[in-house]
Amino acid sequence: MPLFKLLARKRGDVREIDSKLMRVLPPLLLIALLIAIWWVVVDRSDSPIFPTPWQVATGAWALAKDGTLWQHIEASLFRVEMGFGLALLVGVPLGLWMGWVSGAFYTLNPLFQMLRPISPIAWIPVAILWFGVGDFSPIFLIFISSVFPMMVQTTVGVRTIDRRYLRAAANFGVSRSVLFRRVVIPAVLPEIIVGMRIGLGVAWLVVVAAEMIALNSGLGYLIMDSRNAGNRYDLVIASMILIGVIGLLLDGMTRLLERLKMVKWRYVR
């Protein structure tokens, strides 16, 4: 390989490494700074209740060693996956229908806009009445909290498609069904992914409230149990951090969908 091409490739590799460092390093430094502030404040206040980062880490490590922590994480992941999966199966097709068919939009939208602001906590008595105390009630609460963001985002995405795309397709004489499959769905996919990210975030947001009525498992249950059974605030904080970290990882996995060829056209970078 010629020397100038080799140098150019090396310069490109260096720029790519610098770019990745610039994405990773600032948030890591910010998190380290916040942990340091947390540690200093707790240490100086000499609080008997609020734990230091080290106490949180050792408490979580003890639960991880005996396997309890993994059982709670697995239970929460199962409920979020089921609730969010059902919401995805219902919310996206319903949003596509409401966005594409004006009659469906004007008929259903007022009802959903009435249901959407109701807090998932308000649904707890109804969930217990319908499904009892167990896995189905938390799954229902996660479903009801995440279905509306996906449905609304999808509906708005369809209704705000640039009319130039529709007119250009119509000029070729394509049928309405082909127009929907070949133009509408690809155009609205970025909005669907945004709705999925919002819905997934809300699902983890309500997992604590949802698992208040779980039998004996889940990170939400661990938070409530740690507080009630001896003020183990180290485990409370550890569970909160884990919920945040898992939410971040799942959001990152959802963002991988943005790299699909049929979606990537919408993003500048």
Side-chain angles (χ1 to χ4, degrees):
M1 177 182 294
L3 182 59
F4 71 89
K5 284 189 176 180
L6 187 61
L7 291 173
R9 177 176 291 184
K10 284 189 176 181
R11 280 197 296 270
D13 292 343
V14 170
R15 279 198 295 269
E16 188 176 352
I17 292 171
D18 287 344
S19 175
K20 288 180 179 177
L21 278 176
M22 287 304 293
R23 292 179 186 177
V24 173
L25 204 55
L28 287 179
L29 289 174
L30 177 62
I31 291 171
L33 177 64
L34 291 175
I35 291 174
I37 294 172
W38 167 15
W39 202 321
V40 169
V41 169
V42 174
D43 191 51
R44 293 201 171 185
S45 65
D46 200 20
S47 171
I49 297 177
F50 206 79
T52 63
W54 178 250
Q55 289 170 325
V56 171
T58 53
W61 177 245
L63 281 186
K65 276 201 302 186
D66 67 15
T68 308
L69 186 61
W70 308 116
Q71 292 173 7
H72 288 302
I73 291 174
E74 186 179 357
S76 289
L77 279 173
F78 169 73
R79 289 170 188 136
V80 170
E81 285 171 2
M82 293 299 295
F84 176 77
L86 288 172
L88 182 67
L89 290 176
V90 173
V92 172
L94 199 56
L96 288 172
W97 185 44
M98 289 174 61
W100 188 236
V101 180
S102 295
F105 176 78
Y106 290 118
T107 303
L108 297 175
N109 189 56
L111 174 64
F112 291 142
Q113 294 305 325
M114 286 171 59
L115 294 173
R116 193 164 66 93
I118 299 175
S119 168
I121 297 173
W123 287 95
I124 289 178
V126 179
I128 294 175
L129 187 66
W130 284 350
F131 304 107
V133 177
D135 279 335
F136 287 112
S137 292
I139 289 171
F140 170 74
L141 292 174
I142 292 168
F143 165 79
I144 206 74
S145 64
S146 55
V147 68
F148 293 118
M150 285 190 280
M151 186 193 65
V152 170
Q153 192 71 28
T154 306
T155 303
V156 170
V158 175
R159 295 182 69 82
T160 56
I161 291 176
D162 194 329
R163 295 296 163 189
R164 287 177 301 175
Y165 302 147
L166 303 180
R167 283 197 292 268
N171 286 337
F172 288 99
V174 298
S175 65
R176 190 170 168 82
S177 61
V178 173
L179 182 69
F180 185 75
R181 284 188 287 108
R182 302 293 297 272
V183 178
V184 173
I185 290 182
V188 82
L189 274 177
E191 302 293 340
I192 292 176
I193 293 174
V194 172
M196 289 172 61
R197 293 180 61 195
I198 297 172
L200 194 55
V202 174
W204 279 101
L205 193 69
V206 302
V207 74
V208 175
E211 289 181 341
M212 284 170 63
I213 51 177
L215 288 177
N216 53 7
S217 62
L219 291 170
Y221 169 82
L222 179 60
I223 289 176
M224 301 305 297
D225 187 58
S226 301
R227 186 184 67 89
N228 294 333
N231 290 336
R232 288 293 306 274
Y233 284 96
D234 55 338
L235 300 182
V236 171
I237 302 296
S239 303
M240 292 167 61
I241 293 172
L242 279 172
I243 287 173
V245 171
I246 294 172
L248 175 67
L249 293 175
L250 291 178
D251 182 68
M253 291 169 63
T254 307
R255 290 199 66 180
L256 291 177
L257 294 174
E258 296 173 355
R259 298 183 181 181
L260 294 175
K261 190 176 179 181
M262 59 192 310
V263 179
K264 202 173 180 179
W265 63 273
R266 180 72 174 272
Y267 297 93
V268 176
R269 53 183 175 179

